[in-house]
Amino acid sequence: MNIELLLQHISKHISLTNEEEEILKSFLHSKKIKKKHFLLQEGEVNKTATFVTSGLLRIYSIDKNGFEHILQFAPPGWWIGDMKSVLTQQPATLNIDAIEDTEIIWISKEDLEKLYAAVPKFERFFRILAENSIASHQQRLVNNLSLSAAERYNNFCQLYPSLIQNLPQKQVASYIGVTPEFLSKMLSNLSEKK
Amino acid sequence: MNIELLLQHISKHISLTNEEEEILKSFLHSKKIKKKHFLLQEGEVNKTATFVTSGLLRIYSIDKNGFEHILQFAPPGWWIGDMKSVLTQQPATLNIDAIEDTEIIWISKEDLEKLYAAVPKFERFFRILAENSIASHQQRLVNNLSLSAAERYNNFCQLYPSLIQNLPQKQVASYIGVTPEFLSKMLSNLSEKK
DNA sequence: AAATTTTCTTAATCTACATTAAGTTCCCTG
DNA sequence: CAGGGAACTTAATGTAGATTAAGAAAATTT
């Protein structure tokens, strides 16, 4: 289990004693997910908090016509989950799968509550994490409501320069909310204009 | 200051001793915002957490063509803020104003940190609050990416039945992401089909 | 209650993006 | 390294929703 990235990430927001670090570790598990395999499927309950240490996950919904809509990518150092399912422990409406071979660290919902009880600092950590996530969601919403497809694409490239290298174009299309055909046309227009 | 609604809201997630309640109260302020007046304008720093006790606020961005895009309404019992500005203490890109005469309870960012130090339970409270907000944002994103305007409208009506009564149609249009003209047309089509 | 502003409606025209349908290139995997 | 499915491209056609423009209705202000 590559716990270094997680500890580093945590230390940006709270500092842990050795003892607290040990308590944390006692609750953690790791798991590998092969490319194209699922971490969570619509209908299952999302019972864990998930932190990516290597590879790449995506979380997406499938609409009534079978089209996928990607809410978020999770490269190393990111958390991912169907928050409604985690909170209510009802079946998820979102899917999480691996775009590349991926390794995660996870903690069960019950153990997370135990961790909060044992080391209340983690309430703070996850509060800060959640607040940052809200800030991103607000920005994403603004972008989706006010920008054109080309502007959303440029924005994505600026925000995730390293992601854009390795991602299949159709995944980017699904994230910014256009069809792969339209994105393809858009990009060829952009490049010939230069 | 009508603090009852706030205490009631807090007690759904954590329970406070009388002493802790007093500490909380010592940090709180109240304020009235008249209809059409601003609580926060683009360019100002969002320095407080805001809880609505009566009336109705909205938070929105203004795009480069001057069009408004509403991210959220805040009726009594809701929190509202430009989270990026709150976290970074940089100028806000969002605006908050009153759709009706409104009364809020607010706490400054500094005092909130003091509150966390004095009563760590509040870290838990705001963590839970933030996590619920993420769940809503994920759902909103899914809706915006996968539903038609008519479906988003119906969804809004189901989610906020009481809001829809009092809101000007153009505000609803701005929230679901269509022009007022299109919403008007859509509604008259819907009603004549029945 | 007149005046002014804001909201809502209707209708014609326009456009960003979707859909459909090929064909092509790129990969994985055997 | 062959072949079979993904991923990407191109192009024709279709459509949800935008834009523009005007007038009507409703709400606010004086």
Coordinates of all heavy atoms in Angstrom, one line a residue, chain A residues 59 61 63-64 69-71 81-84 87 93-94 113 116 123-124 126-127 130-135 137-142 144-146 151 174-177, chain B residues 59 61 63-64 69-71 81-84 87 93-94 113 116 123-124 126-127 130-135 137-142 144-146 151 174-177:
Chain A
I59 N -15.9 9.1 -12.5 CA -17.2 8.9 -11.9 C -18.2 9.5 -12.9 O -18.0 10.6 -13.4 CB -17.4 9.4 -10.5 CG1 -18.8 9.1 -9.9 CG2 -17.1 10.9 -10.4 CD1 -18.9 9.3 -8.4
S61 N -22.5 9.3 -14.8 CA -23.9 8.7 -14.8 C -24.2 8.2 -16.2 O -23.5 8.7 -17.2 CB -24.9 9.8 -14.4 OG -25.1 10.7 -15.5
D63 N -27.3 8.1 -18.8 CA -28.7 8.6 -18.9 C -29.6 7.6 -19.6 O -29.2 6.5 -19.9 CB -28.7 10.0 -19.7 CG -28.3 9.8 -21.2 OD1 -28.6 8.7 -21.7 OD2 -27.9 10.8 -21.7
K64 N -30.9 8.0 -19.7 CA -31.9 7.0 -20.2 C -31.7 6.5 -21.6 O -32.2 5.5 -22.0 CB -33.3 7.6 -20.0 CG -33.6 8.9 -20.8 CD -35.0 9.3 -20.6 CE -35.4 10.4 -21.6 NZ -34.8 11.7 -21.3
H69 N -22.1 10.5 -18.8 CA -21.8 11.9 -18.5 C -20.8 11.9 -17.3 O -21.2 11.5 -16.2 CB -23.0 12.7 -18.1 CG -24.1 12.6 -19.2 ND1 -24.0 13.5 -20.3 CD2 -25.1 11.8 -19.4 CE1 -25.0 13.2 -21.1 NE2 -25.7 12.2 -20.6
I70 N -19.6 12.3 -17.6 CA -18.5 12.2 -16.6 C -18.6 13.4 -15.6 O -18.5 14.5 -16.1 CB -17.1 12.1 -17.2 CG1 -17.1 10.8 -18.1 CG2 -16.0 12.1 -16.2 CD1 -15.8 10.6 -18.8
L71 N -18.7 13.1 -14.3 CA -18.7 14.2 -13.3 C -17.3 14.6 -12.9 O -17.0 15.8 -12.6 CB -19.4 13.8 -12.1 CG -20.9 13.4 -12.2 CD1 -21.5 13.2 -10.9 CD2 -21.6 14.5 -13.0
G81 N -16.2 9.6 -5.1 CA -17.4 8.9 -4.5 C -18.7 9.4 -5.0 O -18.8 10.6 -5.4
D82 N -19.7 8.6 -4.9 CA -21.1 9.0 -5.1 C -21.6 9.5 -3.8 O -22.0 8.7 -2.9 CB -22.0 7.8 -5.6 CG -23.4 8.2 -5.8 OD1 -23.9 9.2 -5.1 OD2 -24.1 7.6 -6.7
M83 N -21.5 10.8 -3.5 CA -21.8 11.4 -2.2 C -23.2 11.1 -1.7 O -23.3 10.8 -0.5 CB -21.5 12.9 -2.2 CG -21.3 13.5 -0.8 SD -20.1 12.7 0.2 CE -18.6 13.6 -0.2
K84 N -24.1 11.1 -2.6 CA -25.5 10.8 -2.1 C -25.6 9.4 -1.5 O -26.2 9.2 -0.5 CB -26.5 11.0 -3.2 CG -28.0 10.9 -2.8 CD -29.0 11.7 -3.6 CE -28.8 11.5 -5.1 NZ -29.4 10.4 -5.8
L87 N -23.8 9.1 1.8 CA -24.5 9.7 3.0 C -25.7 9.0 3.4 O -26.0 8.8 4.5 CB -24.8 11.2 2.6 CG -23.7 12.1 2.5 CD1 -24.2 13.5 2.1 CD2 -22.9 12.2 3.8
T93 N -26.5 6.1 -8.0 CA -26.9 6.3 -9.4 C -25.7 6.6 -10.3 O -25.9 6.8 -11.5 CB -27.8 7.6 -9.4 OG1 -27.2 8.7 -8.8 CG2 -29.1 7.3 -8.6
L94 N -24.5 6.6 -9.6 CA -23.3 6.9 -10.4 C -22.5 5.7 -10.5 O -22.6 4.7 -9.7 CB -22.5 8.0 -9.7 CG -23.3 9.4 -9.5 CD1 -22.4 10.4 -8.8 CD2 -23.7 9.9 -10.9
E113 N -16.2 6.6 10.8 CA -16.9 7.2 12.0 C -16.0 6.9 13.3 O -15.9 7.7 14.2 CB -18.3 6.6 12.2 CG -19.3 7.2 11.3 CD -19.5 8.7 11.5 OE1 -19.3 9.2 12.6 OE2 -19.8 9.4 10.5
Y116 N -13.2 9.3 13.3 CA -13.6 10.6 13.8 C -13.7 10.6 15.3 O -13.2 11.6 15.9 CB -15.0 11.0 13.3 CG -15.1 11.3 11.8 CD1 -16.2 10.9 11.0 CD2 -14.0 11.9 11.1 CE1 -16.3 11.2 9.7 CE2 -14.1 12.2 9.8 CZ -15.3 11.9 9.1 OH -15.3 12.2 7.7
E123 N -12.3 15.2 11.4 CA -13.5 15.9 11.1 C -13.1 17.2 10.3 O -13.7 17.6 9.3 CB -14.4 16.3 12.3 CG -14.8 15.1 13.2 CD -16.2 14.6 12.8 OE1 -16.7 15.0 11.7 OE2 -16.8 13.9 13.6
R124 N -12.1 17.8 10.9 CA -11.6 19.0 10.3 C -11.1 18.8 8.9 O -11.4 19.5 7.9 CB -10.5 19.6 11.2 CG -9.9 20.9 10.6 CD -8.9 21.5 11.6 NE -8.3 22.8 11.0 CZ -8.9 24.0 11.1 NH1 -10.0 24.1 11.8 NH2 -8.3 25.0 10.6
F126 N -11.7 16.4 6.7 CA -12.7 16.1 5.7 C -13.7 17.3 5.5 O -14.2 17.5 4.5 CB -13.5 14.8 6.0 CG -12.7 13.6 5.7 CD1 -12.0 12.8 6.6 CD2 -12.6 13.2 4.3 CE1 -11.3 11.7 6.3 CE2 -11.9 12.1 4.0 CZ -11.2 11.3 5.0
R127 N -13.8 18.1 6.5 CA -14.6 19.4 6.3 C -13.9 20.2 5.3 O -14.5 20.7 4.3 CB -14.7 20.2 7.6 CG -15.3 21.6 7.4 CD -15.4 22.4 8.6 NE -14.1 22.8 9.2 CZ -13.3 23.7 8.7 NH1 -13.6 24.4 7.6 NH2 -12.2 23.9 9.4
A130 N -14.2 18.8 1.9 CA -15.5 18.9 1.3 C -15.7 20.3 0.9 O -16.3 20.6 -0.2 CB -16.6 18.5 2.3
E131 N -15.2 21.3 1.6 CA -15.4 22.7 1.3 C -14.7 23.0 0.0 O -15.2 23.8 -0.9 CB -15.0 23.6 2.4 CG -16.0 23.6 3.6 CD -15.5 24.4 4.8 OE1 -14.3 24.8 4.8 OE2 -16.3 24.5 5.7
N132 N -13.5 22.5 -0.2 CA -12.8 22.7 -1.5 C -13.6 22.1 -2.6 O -13.6 22.6 -3.7 CB -11.4 22.0 -1.4 CG -10.4 22.9 -0.7 OD1 -10.1 24.0 -1.2 ND2 -10.0 22.6 0.5
S133 N -14.2 20.9 -2.4 CA -14.9 20.3 -3.4 C -16.1 21.1 -3.8 O -16.5 21.2 -5.0 CB -15.4 18.9 -2.9 OG -16.3 18.3 -3.9
I134 N -16.8 21.8 -2.8 CA -17.9 22.7 -3.1 C -17.4 23.8 -4.0 O -18.1 24.2 -5.0 CB -18.5 23.2 -1.9 CG1 -19.2 22.1 -1.1 CG2 -19.6 24.3 -2.2 CD1 -19.7 22.5 0.3
A135 N -16.3 24.4 -3.7 CA -15.7 25.5 -4.5 C -15.6 25.0 -5.9 O -15.9 25.8 -6.9 CB -14.4 26.0 -3.9
H137 N -17.2 22.6 -7.5 CA -18.5 22.3 -8.0 C -19.2 23.6 -8.4 O -19.8 23.7 -9.5 CB -19.3 21.5 -7.1 CG -19.1 20.1 -7.1 ND1 -18.4 19.4 -6.2 CD2 -19.6 19.2 -8.1 CE1 -18.4 18.1 -6.5 NE2 -19.1 17.9 -7.7
Q138 N -19.0 24.7 -7.6 CA -19.6 25.9 -8.0 C -19.0 26.5 -9.2 O -19.7 27.0 -10.1 CB -19.4 27.0 -6.8 CG -20.3 26.7 -5.6 CD -20.3 27.9 -4.6 OE1 -19.3 28.6 -4.5 NE2 -21.3 28.0 -3.8
Q139 N -17.7 26.3 -9.4 CA -17.0 26.8 -10.6 C -17.5 26.0 -11.8 O -17.7 26.6 -12.9 CB -15.5 26.7 -10.4 CG -14.7 27.4 -11.5 CD -15.1 28.9 -11.6 OE1 -15.0 29.6 -10.6 NE2 -15.5 29.3 -12.8
R140 N -17.6 24.7 -11.6 CA -18.0 23.8 -12.7 C -19.4 24.2 -13.2 O -19.6 24.3 -14.4 CB -17.9 22.4 -12.3 CG -18.4 21.4 -13.3 CD -17.3 20.8 -14.0 NE -17.7 19.8 -15.0 CZ -17.9 18.5 -14.9 NH1 -17.6 18.0 -13.7 NH2 -18.2 17.8 -15.9
L141 N -20.3 24.5 -12.3 CA -21.6 24.9 -12.6 C -21.7 26.2 -13.4 O -22.3 26.3 -14.4 CB -22.4 25.1 -11.3 CG -23.6 24.2 -11.0 CD1 -24.3 24.7 -9.8 CD2 -24.6 24.2 -12.2
V142 N -20.9 27.2 -12.9 CA -20.8 28.4 -13.6 C -20.4 28.2 -15.0 O -21.0 28.7 -16.0 CB -19.9 29.4 -12.9 CG1 -19.5 30.6 -13.8 CG2 -20.4 29.9 -11.6
N144 N -20.5 25.5 -16.9 CA -21.5 24.8 -17.7 C -22.7 25.7 -18.1 O -23.3 25.5 -19.1 CB -22.0 23.5 -16.9 CG -21.0 22.4 -17.0 OD1 -20.0 22.5 -17.5 ND2 -21.4 21.3 -16.4
L145 N -23.0 26.6 -17.2 CA -24.2 27.5 -17.5 C -23.8 28.6 -18.4 O -24.6 29.2 -19.1 CB -24.8 28.0 -16.2 CG -25.5 27.1 -15.3 CD1 -25.8 27.7 -13.9 CD2 -26.8 26.6 -15.9
S146 N -22.5 29.0 -18.4 CA -22.2 30.3 -19.1 C -21.2 30.2 -20.2 O -21.1 31.2 -21.0 CB -21.8 31.4 -18.1 OG -20.6 30.9 -17.4
E151 N -15.1 27.1 -25.1 CA -14.5 27.7 -23.8 C -14.4 26.7 -22.7 O -13.4 26.7 -22.0 CB -15.5 28.8 -23.4 CG -15.4 30.1 -24.3 CD -16.5 31.1 -24.1 OE1 -17.6 30.7 -23.7 OE2 -16.2 32.3 -24.2
S174 N -17.2 13.8 -23.0 CA -18.2 13.5 -22.0 C -18.1 14.3 -20.8 O -19.2 14.7 -20.2 CB -18.0 12.0 -21.6 OG -18.8 11.7 -20.5
Y175 N -16.9 14.8 -20.4 CA -16.8 15.7 -19.3 C -17.3 17.1 -19.5 O -18.0 17.7 -18.7 CB -15.3 15.7 -18.8 CG -15.1 16.6 -17.6 CD1 -15.0 16.0 -16.3 CD2 -14.8 17.9 -17.7 CE1 -14.8 16.8 -15.2 CE2 -14.6 18.8 -16.6 CZ -14.6 18.2 -15.4 OH -14.3 19.0 -14.3
I176 N -16.9 17.6 -20.7 CA -17.3 19.0 -21.0 C -18.8 19.1 -21.5 O -19.3 20.1 -21.6 CB -16.4 19.7 -22.0 CG1 -16.4 19.1 -23.4 CG2 -15.0 19.7 -21.4 CD1 -15.6 19.9 -24.4
G177 N -19.3 17.9 -21.8 CA -20.8 17.9 -22.2 C -21.1 18.1 -23.6 O -22.0 18.8 -24.0
Chain B
I59 N -27.6 33.2 -5.3 CA -26.2 33.4 -5.7 C -26.0 33.1 -7.2 O -26.5 32.2 -7.7 CB -25.3 32.6 -4.8 CG1 -23.8 32.8 -5.1 CG2 -25.6 31.1 -4.9 CD1 -22.8 32.3 -4.1
S61 N -23.7 34.1 -11.1 CA -22.6 34.7 -11.8 C -23.1 35.6 -12.9 O -24.2 35.3 -13.4 CB -21.6 33.7 -12.4 OG -22.2 33.1 -13.5
D63 N -22.2 36.6 -16.8 CA -21.2 36.2 -17.8 C -20.7 37.4 -18.6 O -21.2 38.5 -18.4 CB -21.7 35.1 -18.7 CG -22.9 35.5 -19.6 OD1 -23.0 36.7 -19.9 OD2 -23.7 34.7 -20.0
K64 N -19.8 37.2 -19.6 CA -19.2 38.3 -20.3 C -20.2 39.1 -21.1 O -20.0 40.2 -21.6 CB -18.1 37.8 -21.2 CG -18.4 36.8 -22.2 CD -17.2 36.4 -23.0 CE -17.6 35.6 -24.3 NZ -17.9 34.2 -24.0
H69 N -26.5 33.8 -14.2 CA -26.7 32.4 -14.1 C -26.8 32.0 -12.6 O -25.8 32.2 -11.9 CB -25.6 31.6 -14.8 CG -25.4 32.0 -16.2 ND1 -26.1 31.4 -17.2 CD2 -24.6 32.9 -16.8 CE1 -25.8 32.0 -18.4 NE2 -24.8 32.9 -18.2
I70 N -28.0 31.6 -12.2 CA -28.2 31.4 -10.8 C -27.7 30.0 -10.4 O -28.1 29.0 -10.9 CB -29.7 31.5 -10.4 CG1 -30.1 33.0 -10.7 CG2 -29.9 31.2 -9.0 CD1 -31.6 33.2 -10.5
L71 N -26.8 30.0 -9.4 CA -26.3 28.7 -8.9 C -27.2 28.1 -7.8 O -27.3 26.9 -7.7 CB -24.9 28.9 -8.2 CG -23.8 29.4 -9.1 CD1 -22.5 29.3 -8.4 CD2 -23.7 28.6 -10.4
G81 N -23.0 31.0 0.0 CA -21.7 31.7 -0.1 C -20.9 31.4 -1.3 O -21.2 30.4 -2.0
D82 N -20.0 32.2 -1.7 CA -19.0 32.0 -2.8 C -17.9 31.2 -2.1 O -17.0 31.8 -1.5 CB -18.6 33.3 -3.4 CG -17.5 33.1 -4.5 OD1 -16.8 32.1 -4.4 OD2 -17.4 33.9 -5.4
M83 N -17.9 29.9 -2.2 CA -17.0 29.1 -1.4 C -15.6 29.3 -1.8 O -14.7 29.4 -0.9 CB -17.4 27.6 -1.6 CG -16.7 26.7 -0.6 SD -17.0 27.1 1.1 CE -18.4 26.2 1.5
K84 N -15.3 29.6 -3.1 CA -13.9 29.8 -3.5 C -13.4 31.1 -2.8 O -12.3 31.1 -2.2 CB -13.8 30.0 -5.0 CG -12.4 30.2 -5.5 CD -12.1 29.7 -6.9 CE -13.2 30.1 -7.9 NZ -12.9 31.4 -8.5
L87 N -12.8 30.5 1.0 CA -11.6 29.7 1.3 C -10.3 30.4 1.1 O -9.4 30.3 1.9 CB -11.7 28.4 0.5 CG -12.7 27.4 0.9 CD1 -12.7 26.2 -0.1 CD2 -12.5 26.9 2.3
T93 N -16.2 35.9 -7.4 CA -16.7 36.0 -8.8 C -18.2 35.9 -8.9 O -18.8 36.0 -9.9 CB -16.1 34.9 -9.7 OG1 -16.4 33.6 -9.1 CG2 -14.6 35.1 -9.8
L94 N -18.8 35.6 -7.7 CA -20.3 35.4 -7.6 C -20.9 36.6 -6.9 O -20.2 37.3 -6.2 CB -20.6 34.1 -6.9 CG -20.0 32.9 -7.5 CD1 -20.3 31.6 -6.7 CD2 -20.5 32.7 -9.0
E113 N -13.3 30.1 13.0 CA -12.1 29.4 13.4 C -12.1 29.3 14.9 O -11.7 28.3 15.5 CB -10.8 30.0 12.9 CG -10.6 29.7 11.4 CD -10.4 28.2 11.0 OE1 -10.0 27.5 11.9 OE2 -10.8 27.8 9.9
Y116 N -14.5 26.7 16.1 CA -14.0 25.4 15.9 C -13.0 25.0 17.0 O -13.1 23.9 17.5 CB -13.2 25.3 14.6 CG -14.0 25.4 13.3 CD1 -13.5 25.9 12.1 CD2 -15.3 24.8 13.3 CE1 -14.3 26.0 11.0 CE2 -16.0 24.8 12.1 CZ -15.5 25.4 10.9 OH -16.3 25.5 9.8
E123 N -16.8 21.5 13.7 CA -16.1 20.9 12.6 C -16.9 19.8 12.0 O -17.1 19.7 10.8 CB -14.7 20.3 13.0 CG -13.8 21.3 13.6 CD -12.8 21.9 12.6 OE1 -13.0 21.8 11.4 OE2 -11.8 22.5 13.1
R124 N -17.5 19.0 12.8 CA -18.3 17.9 12.4 C -19.6 18.4 11.7 O -19.9 18.0 10.6 CB -18.7 17.0 13.6 CG -19.6 15.9 13.2 CD -19.9 15.0 14.4 NE -20.8 13.9 14.0 CZ -20.4 12.7 13.5 NH1 -19.1 12.5 13.3 NH2 -21.2 11.8 13.2
F126 N -20.1 21.3 10.2 CA -19.9 21.9 8.9 C -19.4 20.9 7.9 O -19.5 21.0 6.7 CB -19.0 23.1 9.0 CG -19.7 24.4 9.5 CD1 -19.6 24.8 10.8 CD2 -20.6 25.1 8.6 CE1 -20.3 25.9 11.2 CE2 -21.3 26.2 9.0 CZ -21.2 26.6 10.3
R127 N -18.7 19.8 8.4 CA -18.3 18.7 7.5 C -19.6 18.1 6.9 O -19.7 17.9 5.7 CB -17.5 17.7 8.2 CG -17.3 16.4 7.3 CD -16.5 15.3 8.1 NE -17.2 14.8 9.2 CZ -18.2 13.9 9.1 NH1 -18.7 13.5 7.9 NH2 -18.8 13.4 10.2
A130 N -21.3 20.4 4.4 CA -20.5 20.4 3.2 C -20.7 19.2 2.4 O -20.9 19.2 1.1 CB -19.0 20.7 3.5
E131 N -20.7 18.0 3.0 CA -20.9 16.8 2.3 C -22.3 16.7 1.7 O -22.5 16.2 0.5 CB -20.7 15.6 3.2 CG -19.2 15.4 3.6 CD -18.9 14.3 4.6 OE1 -19.8 13.8 5.2 OE2 -17.7 14.0 4.8
N132 N -23.3 17.2 2.4 CA -24.6 17.2 1.8 C -24.7 18.2 0.6 O -25.3 17.9 -0.4 CB -25.6 17.7 2.8 CG -26.1 16.6 3.7 OD1 -26.7 15.6 3.3 ND2 -25.7 16.7 5.0
S133 N -23.9 19.2 0.7 CA -23.9 20.2 -0.4 C -23.2 19.5 -1.6 O -23.7 19.7 -2.8 CB -23.1 21.4 0.0 OG -22.9 22.3 -1.1
I134 N -22.2 18.7 -1.4 CA -21.5 18.0 -2.5 C -22.5 17.1 -3.2 O -22.6 17.0 -4.4 CB -20.3 17.2 -2.1 CG1 -19.2 18.2 -1.6 CG2 -19.8 16.4 -3.2 CD1 -18.0 17.5 -0.9
A135 N -23.3 16.4 -2.4 CA -24.3 15.5 -3.0 C -25.3 16.2 -3.9 O -25.6 15.7 -5.0 CB -25.0 14.7 -1.8
H137 N -24.7 19.1 -5.4 CA -24.0 19.6 -6.6 C -23.8 18.4 -7.6 O -23.9 18.6 -8.8 CB -22.6 20.2 -6.2 CG -22.7 21.6 -5.8 ND1 -22.7 22.0 -4.5 CD2 -22.9 22.7 -6.5 CE1 -22.8 23.3 -4.4 NE2 -22.9 23.8 -5.6
Q138 N -23.5 17.2 -7.1 CA -23.3 16.1 -8.0 C -24.6 15.9 -8.8 O -24.6 15.7 -10.0 CB -22.9 14.8 -7.3 CG -21.4 14.8 -6.8 CD -20.9 13.5 -6.3 OE1 -21.7 12.7 -5.7 NE2 -19.6 13.2 -6.4
Q139 N -25.7 15.9 -8.1 CA -27.0 15.7 -8.7 C -27.3 16.8 -9.7 O -27.8 16.5 -10.8 CB -28.1 15.6 -7.7 CG -29.4 15.1 -8.2 CD -29.3 13.7 -8.8 OE1 -28.8 12.8 -8.2 NE2 -29.7 13.6 -10.1
R140 N -27.0 18.0 -9.3 CA -27.3 19.1 -10.2 C -26.5 19.0 -11.5 O -27.0 19.2 -12.6 CB -26.9 20.4 -9.5 CG -27.0 21.7 -10.3 CD -28.4 22.4 -10.1 NE -28.5 23.6 -10.9 CZ -28.2 24.8 -10.6 NH1 -27.6 25.0 -9.4 NH2 -28.4 25.8 -11.4
L141 N -25.2 18.6 -11.4 CA -24.3 18.4 -12.5 C -24.9 17.3 -13.5 O -25.0 17.5 -14.7 CB -23.0 18.0 -12.0 CG -21.8 18.8 -12.4 CD1 -20.5 18.1 -11.9 CD2 -21.7 19.2 -13.8
V142 N -25.3 16.2 -12.9 CA -25.8 15.1 -13.7 C -27.1 15.6 -14.4 O -27.2 15.4 -15.6 CB -26.3 13.9 -12.8 CG1 -27.2 13.0 -13.5 CG2 -25.1 13.2 -12.2
N144 N -27.8 18.7 -15.3 CA -27.4 19.7 -16.3 C -26.8 19.0 -17.6 O -27.0 19.4 -18.7 CB -26.5 20.7 -15.8 CG -27.2 21.8 -15.0 OD1 -28.4 21.7 -14.8 ND2 -26.5 22.8 -14.5
L145 N -26.1 17.9 -17.3 CA -25.4 17.2 -18.4 C -26.4 16.3 -19.2 O -26.1 16.0 -20.3 CB -24.2 16.4 -17.9 CG -23.0 17.2 -17.4 CD1 -22.0 16.3 -16.7 CD2 -22.3 18.0 -18.6
S146 N -27.4 15.8 -18.5 CA -28.1 14.7 -19.1 C -29.6 15.0 -19.4 O -30.3 14.2 -20.1 CB -28.0 13.4 -18.3 OG -28.6 13.6 -17.0
E151 N -37.2 18.7 -18.7 CA -36.9 17.7 -17.6 C -36.3 18.5 -16.4 O -36.6 18.2 -15.3 CB -36.0 16.6 -18.1 CG -36.7 15.6 -19.0 CD -35.8 14.7 -19.7 OE1 -34.7 15.1 -20.1 OE2 -36.2 13.5 -19.9
S174 N -33.2 31.2 -15.3 CA -31.8 31.4 -15.1 C -31.1 30.3 -14.3 O -30.0 29.9 -14.5 CB -31.6 32.7 -14.3 OG -30.2 32.9 -13.9
Y175 N -31.9 29.7 -13.4 CA -31.4 28.5 -12.6 C -31.3 27.3 -13.5 O -30.3 26.5 -13.4 CB -32.4 28.3 -11.4 CG -31.9 27.1 -10.5 CD1 -31.1 27.3 -9.4 CD2 -32.3 25.8 -10.8 CE1 -30.7 26.3 -8.6 CE2 -31.9 24.7 -10.0 CZ -31.1 25.0 -8.9 OH -30.7 24.0 -8.1
I176 N -32.3 27.0 -14.3 CA -32.3 25.7 -15.1 C -31.5 25.9 -16.3 O -31.2 24.9 -17.0 CB -33.7 25.2 -15.4 CG1 -34.5 26.1 -16.4 CG2 -34.5 24.9 -14.1 CD1 -35.8 25.5 -16.8
G177 N -31.1 27.1 -16.6 CA -30.2 27.3 -17.8 C -30.8 27.5 -19.1 O -30.3 27.0 -20.1

